[in-house]
Amino acid sequence: MWGFQRTRYADCNGSEASEETEIVVNIGGVKQVLYGDVLTRFPETRLAELAELDSSLKSSEEISLICDDYDPDTGEFYFDRDPEAFKCIIELYYYGEIHMKRGICPICFMKEMEFWKIGSDFLDECCKSHLKEVEDELAEIAEKVRTILVDREGDPSAGGWQRFQICLWRLMEKPESSLPAHIIAIVSFIFILISSVVMCVGTIPDLQVEDSEGKLTEHPVLEVIETVCIGWFTIEYLLRLISSPNKIKFVLSFMNIIDFMAIMPFYVVLILTSFGAGVMELANVQQAVQALRIMRIARIFKLARHSSGLQTLTSALKSSLKELGLLLMYMGVGVFLFSALGYTMEQNHPDTLFTSIPQSFWWAVITMTTVGYGDVYPKTTLGRCNAAISFLCGVIAIALPIHPIINNFVLFYNKQQVLETAAKHEIELMALRTGGELKAASGSHKHICGAGAWDNDMRSGHSDTFIPLLKDPRGGAGIQTPSMDTSFESTAEATEHFIS
């Protein structure tokens, strides 16, 4: 019924020795000739099933389950698939593994492999890692989309108190969710700057005043401004804590720990002051108060909450812990080595500044980092040679891990920009899809209820309905209009469709 061409081969004596089945396939308009004995090396695949049709084929329905169409005149099997991806697929039958070419979407390629019934185990290791990266990016995009949708629409099943918590959480944590939230974020940023400036200005002697004991203290005006800032930070922290969906996770978060450390010293000093002057006169208490005042510098880290650049830098440093560890190791080895050599070479000099190896660590650090304060320096010829070698090694040790750290920062920053852009485009795509569905329903209503309205639209050259341009022979949706009427079962699937 269905015929295959056969190529006959002869042995060295000229007699017929073997024959191979030639299978002509047309992949997206590109014709290729394959051989049955090659395709049957992997019997679980679709092409192997195609090669076995010669003996088991009984009806045209069976072949329609394997390919899109068949031309008995030319003997071609038609597949409406990507010809570039098929060039990679066919490598499996010759080399035993598949390698994706550059420029092919990994997600689309995995769909091609699934169509040809080839498992992902046959992918090369480098391609698997690339696929894993793309899947992680899709998951991050889907998570961003889900977060955006939750911020916009909320949870319809939530109760009154839960809705209040969600609204308050958006107001305090999501500046992009609404105009009031954006204003609150700007006000919080201004309070952080004012508080940091007040803390610095308060240490200027000319702006300080003397108390009853003749000691310099902060100016009363600056103390009032500090109190107002602490009040804002306290209200902000409590509101965020109340609206947090997970209180334990909120309290243990690094940024929230910084927020707590920024306001805690003020209340501790306030409590100690309320105990009276006798308690404040204790030396230990005074040292504790001084330490708590120094802890106010932690509030500068609150800027990271409102700065995507600082957040990107923090994430890049986290991803570069290995490189930072190598840098510290290089510096540690160099400091120990050159400080010991410097002490050994300088200890016989009468005016030596190297009194011990631990004391020489400071000289080695400032020399290897090319700072050179000049408080400790070698006085012998060998000591100076040792110093020259130490700062050359220091420059090399610092320069080697810097490039990977910068590269990680650039990659992470570009990735964040791509993810944010893709998430926004995905939201727009979903809005277009929803609008297309509404238009399709409206057009269908016209068609059913009033044929005249349908005919008028078609005569005028425009229509609001959705018209598929091409149907998939296997029953799926093929090429469709840009109204995005394709339905997706999940956000990740929609994102995958968008990126592909």
Side-chain angles (χ1 to χ4, degrees):
M1 184 175 180
W2 306 98
F4 294 88
Q5 298 179 358
R6 295 183 180 274
T7 302
R8 298 179 180 272
Y9 297 91
D11 57 15
C12 58
N13 297 323
S15 60
E16 186 176 290
S18 63
E19 61 181 14
E20 286 186 355
T21 302
E22 288 185 356
I23 301 175
V24 182
V25 295
N26 191 309
I27 312 296
V30 179
K31 184 186 298 186
Q32 298 192 33
V33 179
L34 308 176
Y35 297 97
D37 63 335
V38 176
L39 301 181
T40 53
R41 294 174 182 175
F42 298 92
E44 300 286 334
T45 62
R46 185 180 292 270
L47 290 176
E49 295 176 359
L50 186 65
E52 295 172 357
L53 285 176
D54 187 28
S55 59
S56 61
L57 186 62
K58 296 181 180 180
S59 63
S60 59
E61 287 76 9
E62 295 185 21
I63 200 169
S64 64
L65 298 176
I66 298 179
C67 65
D68 297 325
D69 198 5
Y70 176 75
D71 187 357
D73 296 332
T74 60
E76 292 184 21
F77 295 90
Y78 291 90
F79 294 88
D80 187 15
R81 311 303 299 184
D82 183 9
E84 294 298 324
F86 184 77
K87 293 178 182 179
C88 303
I89 295 292
I90 201 63
E91 291 181 357
L92 171 67
Y93 300 92
Y94 293 97
Y95 307 112
E97 64 179 7
I98 298 177
H99 183 81
M100 284 187 296
K101 292 184 178 180
R102 183 176 299 177
I104 298 180
C105 174
I107 302 299
C108 295
F109 190 79
M110 289 304 298
K111 291 183 178 179
E112 291 289 327
M113 292 183 61
E114 182 179 355
F115 172 80
W116 296 108
K117 299 182 180 180
I118 298 175
S120 59
D121 296 336
F122 293 104
L123 269 178
D124 194 12
E125 291 299 326
C126 63
C127 299
K128 288 181 180 179
S129 61
H130 187 200
L131 176 64
K132 183 65 170 57
E133 293 177 0
V134 174
E135 290 177 345
D136 293 341
E137 290 182 1
L138 289 176
E140 292 181 15
I141 294 175
E143 180 63 23
K144 284 183 176 292
V145 171
R146 186 190 67 80
T147 303
I148 295 174
L149 291 178
V150 170
D151 292 341
R152 290 185 177 182
E153 302 174 2
D155 188 1
S157 62
W161 171 250
Q162 291 180 339
R163 285 198 297 269
F164 173 75
Q165 278 187 308
I166 293 174
C167 293
L168 186 59
W169 179 256
R170 293 181 199 165
L171 193 65
M172 305 304 298
E173 282 286 332
K174 307 292 182 180
E176 69 280 358
S177 62
S178 63
L179 180 60
H182 187 66
I183 294 175
I184 289 177
I186 294 176
V187 172
S188 179
F189 183 81
I190 293 174
F191 269 107
I192 294 172
L193 291 180
I194 293 176
S195 176
S196 301
V197 171
V198 167
M199 183 186 67
C200 297
V201 172
T203 60
I204 300 177
D206 295 338
L207 298 179
Q208 293 178 339
V209 295
E210 293 184 358
D211 56 8
S212 58
E213 299 179 357
K215 296 180 180 179
L216 294 177
T217 59
E218 290 186 0
H219 197 280
V221 176
L222 298 180
E223 290 184 353
V224 171
I225 297 176
E226 175 75 9
T227 303
V228 173
C229 293
I230 291 297
W232 169 264
F233 296 151
T234 304
I235 295 174
E236 181 187 30
Y237 182 84
L238 293 177
L239 289 178
R240 292 172 51 243
L241 177 61
I242 293 173
S243 61
S244 173
N246 190 335
K247 303 295 189 296
I248 297 178
K249 183 178 180 181
F250 177 87
V251 172
L252 297 179
S253 174
F254 175 74
M255 291 305 303
N256 295 326
I257 292 175
I258 290 178
D259 293 343
F260 180 76
M261 290 175 60
I263 61 177
M264 182 265 296
F266 176 84
Y267 293 102
V268 174
V269 173
L270 188 64
I271 293 173
L272 292 176
T273 305
S274 64
F275 287 155
V279 176
M280 294 298 296
E281 290 177 356
L282 297 177
N284 294 335
V285 175
Q286 291 179 357
Q287 293 177 359
V289 170
Q290 187 66 23
L292 291 174
R293 288 183 178 275
I294 294 175
M295 286 178 61
R296 293 185 301 174
I297 61 176
R299 68 187 61 173
I300 196 65
F301 293 105
K302 289 169 63 68
L303 292 175
R305 184 182 301 280
H306 307 283
S307 174
S308 59
L310 290 177
Q311 294 174 5
T312 302
L313 177 60
T314 303
S315 302
L317 291 178
K318 287 182 180 178
S319 63
S320 305
L321 290 178
K322 182 178 180 180
E323 288 78 9
L324 291 174
L326 289 175
L327 175 60
L328 294 178
M329 185 187 70
Y330 295 156
M331 293 298 297
V333 172
V335 166
F336 182 82
L337 175 63
F338 292 111
S339 61
L341 291 176
Y343 170 75
T344 303
M345 296 173 182
E346 292 290 321
Q347 63 178 342
N348 295 326
H349 195 279
D351 298 327
T352 182
L353 299 175
F354 295 79
T355 57
S356 65
I357 292 180
Q359 187 269 341
S360 303
F361 287 168
W362 169 248
W363 167 84
V365 169
I366 62 177
T367 303
M368 292 190 67
T369 55
T370 66
V371 176
Y373 290 114
D375 54 343
V376 181
Y377 56 90
K379 297 181 178 180
T380 63
T381 303
L382 290 178
R384 290 170 181 172
C385 293
N386 177 59
I389 297 175
S390 66
F391 73 72
L392 290 176
C393 293
V395 170
I396 296 174
I398 294 175
L400 287 178
I402 289 298
H403 179 70
I405 295 174
I406 296 176
N407 189 42
N408 289 338
F409 175 80
V410 173
L411 291 177
F412 190 85
Y413 181 79
N414 292 337
K415 180 181 177 181
Q416 288 298 112
Q417 296 297 318
V418 169
L419 291 178
E420 292 177 2
T421 304
K424 292 178 181 178
H425 287 177
E426 174 64 14
I427 296 297
E428 296 174 358
L429 181 145
M430 297 175 67
L432 289 173
R433 178 170 59 85
T434 303
E437 291 174 353
L438 294 176
K439 289 182 179 180
S442 175
S444 176
H445 180 72
K446 278 186 180 182
H447 179 64
I448 295 174
C449 299
W454 171 271
D455 294 338
N456 290 335
D457 281 345
M458 297 305 293
R459 292 192 193 100
S460 62
H462 65 274
S463 174
D464 292 336
T465 58
F466 167 79
I467 304 175
L469 301 179
L470 181 64
K471 291 293 184 180
D472 193 317
R474 292 175 300 281
I479 303 175
Q480 297 178 335
T481 60
S483 59
M484 302 310 296
D485 193 49
T486 309
S487 60
F488 303 107
E489 297 181 357
S490 64
T491 305
E493 185 178 349
T495 308
E496 173 184 318
H497 177 85
F498 165 71
I499 293 181
S500 302

